[in-house]
Amino acid sequence: MRYYGAKTKLLPFIESIVKKTGVNGTSNFVDLFAGTSAVGKHFKKLGYTVISNDTLEFSYALAKTYIELNEEPQFTKLKSHLKLKNGNENLFDYLNKLKTRKEGFMFENYSPNGGRQYFTDENALRIDTFRYLIEEWKEEKKISELEYYYLITSLLRGVNLTSNVSGTYGAYLKTWDKRALNPLILEPVDIIPSKNKNKAYKRDANELIKEIHSDILYLDPPYNSRQYASNYFILELIAEGWFKTKPEIYGETGMRNYDHQKSKYCSKTTALNALEDLILNSSKSQYIVLSYNNEGVIPQTAIEQTLGRIGTVETFTENHKRYKSINQTVEDPQLTFEHLFLVQPKKTVNKTNNLTGKEWLQNSFSIWRDLGKTEEEKKLNHPAIFTIKLVSKLIDTFCKPNGGKILDCFAGSGTTLIAGLKKEKDVIGFDLSSEYKKQFIKRASNSYNIPLYGLEDKYFVSDSRKLSEKLESNSIDLCVTSPPYWDILNRQRTADLKKNTNYSDSKEDLGNIEDYNEFVSSLKLVCGEVYNVLKPKGYFIVNVMDLRKKDKFFPLHIDTARIAQEVGFSFEDIIIWDRQPEYNNMRPLGYPFKFIVNKVHEYLLIFRKLEIK
């Protein structure tokens, strides 16, 4: 089958790497991104028990036939109904001699009659006829599930041989390919005999991996931005059918909506994060073999770093002829380099972050010290900055090392964003002050050598009580923020008599709310917005300090913990941030009449959004 992701020519290379593991016999070979089942078929022939998976229906149909079927189906009920006495050749003779029954979906949309020339009118009518008949036999229980998919596979093979396309189905050819003018016929499918209980799935790979055992886990995820669901939408339409709900199609090519089948592995912003999640849940596999080429959206170094989290990585490379696209020129590379990464997972894997055991212990201490301001931070005109050292440590502790999106809903001068960018994270900040946005961009580019391109889009001058208007639900991995400490910046400091400068004069600024209860209620709205945009299992770290106005004490950390739990967060823990070295002009508060505590620490409140059941 013409398929740009097929590994047919690379099968000897893949087999040679698998042989290095010494795993053979009837061991489990799991092909998690099966495509046309080329790799799964090969290892089924070698005697492995193959588990195949793909999210596309046409791929699932192929796997049900090539992988799950171990012998040619008999079609006993169907042949009795049709009064056919001999082998399956008679069934295909019957099908190929059928006259077209009626004009259907393919004829109306994907033939010259429908204004498009994916198929000749006659072949489109034959597809409609065959597809209606196969569906009718299934509904009337004249064929079993495996017999149904066997016939779908036969039809897909015939369609592949008579499609007027260059290889994918994103567009049809303007002139007729000679193959497309041949009549579409159905032929028996060669079945690979096996005594093993092979299985085909149609599941999200990142979810299925949590449930299955694999001796050899073979991973061949999408490499680039080309979505398989769109490039093979015709095959997907034929496999799914159009009998319960008529598909909505659009445009010159008749593309159908495929948003529900988009792969995260096809986007530069999500591919590495998806791969990391998959690999961390693959650590119980005996061996992992990952196939990826040099044109993929994930750099080789990032792949090796991700795989290295669970075991020792060996990398093998072989070049082969590059897939030829319609727009390819002689100046484009003619070869591509296929990398096979072989990993034997360790028994114990840190799935949470990239800390060593020693670092994990140090970061687990409930008091964090030595996280003061840098010289650059000391010179900033910001009334209450928290430090890049602190945020970096929080990212290391509460975020996976590769990928991830970090939010600061009170971004200020951009400390969280800069710390995230330095660790190659995607970041987004919110603040009411356009001046602080300018300060962030200046700091990032001038002081930290972060490329200026794209920084403008990483900072919204907007109210954090409206996060969900700008961000998608369940899209943020970690939120680290330090909200205004009520209106403390509008008052004279009594502990060290330093001059205060408030954040802004805006009425929307939480730091300008005079009533404490109203301030807490507004902060609760922000917490609710963070909850909505945070991913399940994502962390929300809030840096706060308790307050005193004259003789009245306001336990802001307690109230923040309360309101965060009220919007749905799980309260996980507290870290004390010791800032005593930064306070060098302290006075004996209340002396000699009433003892008052000088607060030289702040709280890091750790919340988590629980997994949605």
Side-chain angles (χ1 to χ4, degrees), residues 152-220:
I152 294 293
T153 297
S154 178
L155 177 56
L156 291 172
R157 284 160 54 94
V159 166
N160 179 63
L161 294 173
T162 55
S163 302
N164 191 39
V165 297
S166 63
T168 67
Y169 292 78
Y172 52 83
L173 299 175
K174 304 305 180 185
T175 57
W176 287 100
D177 187 299
K178 290 182 179 179
R179 290 177 296 183
L181 299 176
N182 294 327
L184 185 148
I185 60 172
L186 301 187
E187 295 180 328
V189 181
D190 292 332
I191 299 301
I192 303 167
S194 173
K195 294 181 180 179
N196 302 330
K197 192 173 181 180
N198 306 293
K199 181 68 176 173
Y201 289 95
K202 183 187 174 186
R203 296 276 303 277
D204 182 293
N206 287 52
E207 293 302 319
L208 181 61
I209 192 59
K210 301 173 185 177
E211 303 172 17
I212 57 175
H213 161 75
S214 55
D215 297 309
I216 299 292
L217 175 62
Y218 176 70
L219 303 175
D220 183 21

Side-chain angles (χ1 to χ4, degrees), residues 479-483 527 540-544 560 603-607:
C479 178
V480 177
T481 198
S482 182
C527 291
F540 177 31
I541 314 295
V542 187
N543 170 219
V544 294
T560 303
Y603 296 94
L604 299 170
L605 306 180
I606 306 167
F607 305 106

Side-chain angles (χ1 to χ4, degrees), residues 484-502:
Y485 299 169
W486 188 17
D487 62 350
I488 191 172
L489 294 183
N490 295 333
R491 298 182 292 109
Q492 173 67 48
R493 289 165 59 155
T494 56
D496 55 14
L497 298 180
K498 287 184 179 179
K499 183 181 179 181
N500 269 337
T501 305
N502 66 345

